Amino acid sequence: MKPHFELRRVRDFGETISDTFTFIRENFKPLIKPLLVICGFFILINTITLTNLYAGMTEATMQETSRPSNVFASQYGDSYFINLLINYGSLFLFASSIFIVTYCYIAVYKDKTDGEKPTVVEVWGYFKYYFFRSIGSYFVVTLLTIAGFALCVLPGIYLGVVFSLLLPVIIMENGSFGHAFNKCFQLIKGNWWMTFGVIFVTSLIISFSSAIVSVPMGIVIAAKTLLQLDFLMYPVLLLLSLLLSLIYLSYSLMAISISLCYFSFEEQKEGTGILSRINTLGEKDPDTTHQPDEEY
């Protein structure tokens, strides 16, 4: 029988990163299924809007080459900026859905026993329940973070790290926005730098993955401008946009690491994992594989 991954335990920075990859390795197949199924609609929309955005960019680049005296606004036009706004909106919903699906998967997983894995149906049930609450809450804190960046960069960075714990609190604890808002500041106390480090490292990994497709995208745009390959441009951009949208699913890696931060900080503050293990003392063959040795 495969041992169950222990979510609720205190971790340092290195353990959080290593356990993130351990969790994704043990749960890749059952996790990727709900990500593809539930986020499929957002993948489609993001692919189309991203393709239109890059297509508009190539047209603007060609106009700039042929008429270098044009100003920026006339080069890009209203349609380009409309596509840009649509792309930002679809990307926000797409990225949010990736995080929500991952958190819902972990919320179901934490109640499983004997190595069982969450199913797509179970994750979908959680997703439907928490989607609008999570999107609304995330939109509000995103505006607060942007305001922090506008006033001064440092407050924006600080709030961005603090509010990274918002969705885990909402989904793991079935909390309201007000409860999650206050709980974020309670959990982050004394743990801000560790959370920042975890987000920074996972961001580097995701950025590297995105660059794998972004570089060919730039080559296609340049080739279209120089060689006038109009008949190939849109299909190739569509394919690369689809690949880039699929690579965005790697944001699930960040969601897992943030979840492990949440469980670690929750354990520090309230010791719920220790209390749970005390209550299970005497049960047959308790699973201790993923728990720290010094506690036993």
Side-chain angles (χ1 to χ4, degrees):
M1 183 179 297
K2 195 170 183 178
H4 201 63
F5 185 92
E6 178 66 22
L7 291 168
R8 295 189 180 275
R9 72 176 182 86
V10 178
R11 294 175 171 88
D12 59 22
F13 174 81
E15 289 175 323
T16 301
I17 298 297
S18 63
D19 281 358
T20 296
F21 286 98
T22 299
F23 185 88
I24 196 69
R25 184 175 64 252
E26 294 181 0
N27 294 270
F28 180 79
K29 288 184 178 179
L31 175 58
I32 199 65
K33 289 179 182 177
L35 283 172
L36 290 174
V37 172
I38 299 175
C39 298
F41 172 77
F42 299 105
I43 292 174
L44 176 63
I45 296 300
N46 189 72
T47 299
I48 294 173
T49 57
L50 193 60
T51 302
N52 291 334
L53 182 65
Y54 279 111
M57 187 182 299
T58 58
E59 293 298 328
T61 303
M62 290 186 63
Q63 291 179 15
E64 182 180 5
T65 303
S66 60
R67 295 192 299 273
S69 60
N70 286 352
V71 296
F72 180 85
S74 62
Q75 291 168 1
Y76 284 85
D78 294 337
S79 61
Y80 173 81
F81 290 104
I82 291 174
N83 285 332
L84 185 63
L85 291 175
I86 293 174
N87 180 252
Y88 280 145
S90 66
L91 185 58
F92 173 81
L93 291 174
F94 181 34
S96 299
S97 67
I98 294 171
F99 278 84
I100 295 171
V101 168
T102 306
Y103 292 141
C104 289
Y105 178 92
I106 295 174
V108 176
Y109 180 91
K110 68 182 177 63
D111 295 326
K112 293 286 187 178
T113 58
D114 298 331
E116 295 179 357
K117 307 295 184 182
T119 64
V120 175
V121 174
E122 290 173 323
V123 176
W124 171 244
Y126 272 63
F127 182 84
K128 289 190 298 181
Y129 183 78
Y130 288 108
F131 178 74
F132 290 106
R133 190 195 315 180
S134 299
I135 286 291
S137 301
Y138 197 51
F139 181 74
V140 171
V141 297
T142 298
L143 292 180
L144 291 175
T145 304
I146 292 174
F149 274 105
L151 296 174
C152 184
V153 175
L154 292 179
I157 296 175
Y158 174 78
L159 290 176
V161 174
V162 172
F163 292 139
S164 66
L165 299 172
L166 185 83
L167 293 186
V169 174
I170 289 176
I171 295 174
M172 306 302 171
E173 302 182 14
N174 191 21
S176 63
F177 173 76
H179 168 76
F181 187 93
N182 294 326
K183 188 68 174 288
C184 286
F185 288 94
Q186 295 173 14
L187 294 176
I188 207 69
K189 188 175 181 181
N191 295 302
W192 190 91
W193 281 107
M194 175 180 164
T195 310
F196 173 80
V198 168
I199 293 174
F200 180 76
V201 170
T202 53
S203 295
L204 288 179
I205 297 172
I206 294 169
S207 298
F208 178 77
S209 302
S210 300
I212 295 175
V213 175
S214 297
V215 171
M217 188 84 73
I219 294 174
V220 170
I221 293 174
K224 197 269 183 182
T225 303
L226 297 175
L227 304 178
Q228 303 292 314
L229 300 176
D230 294 341
F231 66 98
L232 289 176
M233 185 268 296
Y234 198 86
V236 173
L237 285 180
L238 184 64
L239 176 61
L240 291 176
S241 297
L242 176 60
L243 292 176
L244 186 59
S245 296
L246 292 175
I247 286 178
Y248 282 156
L249 294 177
S250 60
Y251 277 103
S252 180
L253 187 72
M254 182 182 293
I256 294 171
S257 64
I258 292 174
S259 295
L260 295 183
C261 286
Y262 160 78
F263 285 114
S264 177
F265 304 158
E266 179 78 4
E267 187 71 8
Q268 288 178 11
K269 308 294 182 181
E270 300 183 12
T272 52
I274 293 177
L275 292 176
S276 176
R277 290 193 288 272
I278 290 175
N279 291 333
T280 59
L281 286 177
E283 291 184 0
K284 183 179 180 180
D285 298 329
D287 174 27
T288 61
T289 303
H290 291 286
Q291 296 171 359
D293 295 336
E294 61 269 17
E295 293 184 13
Y296 298 92

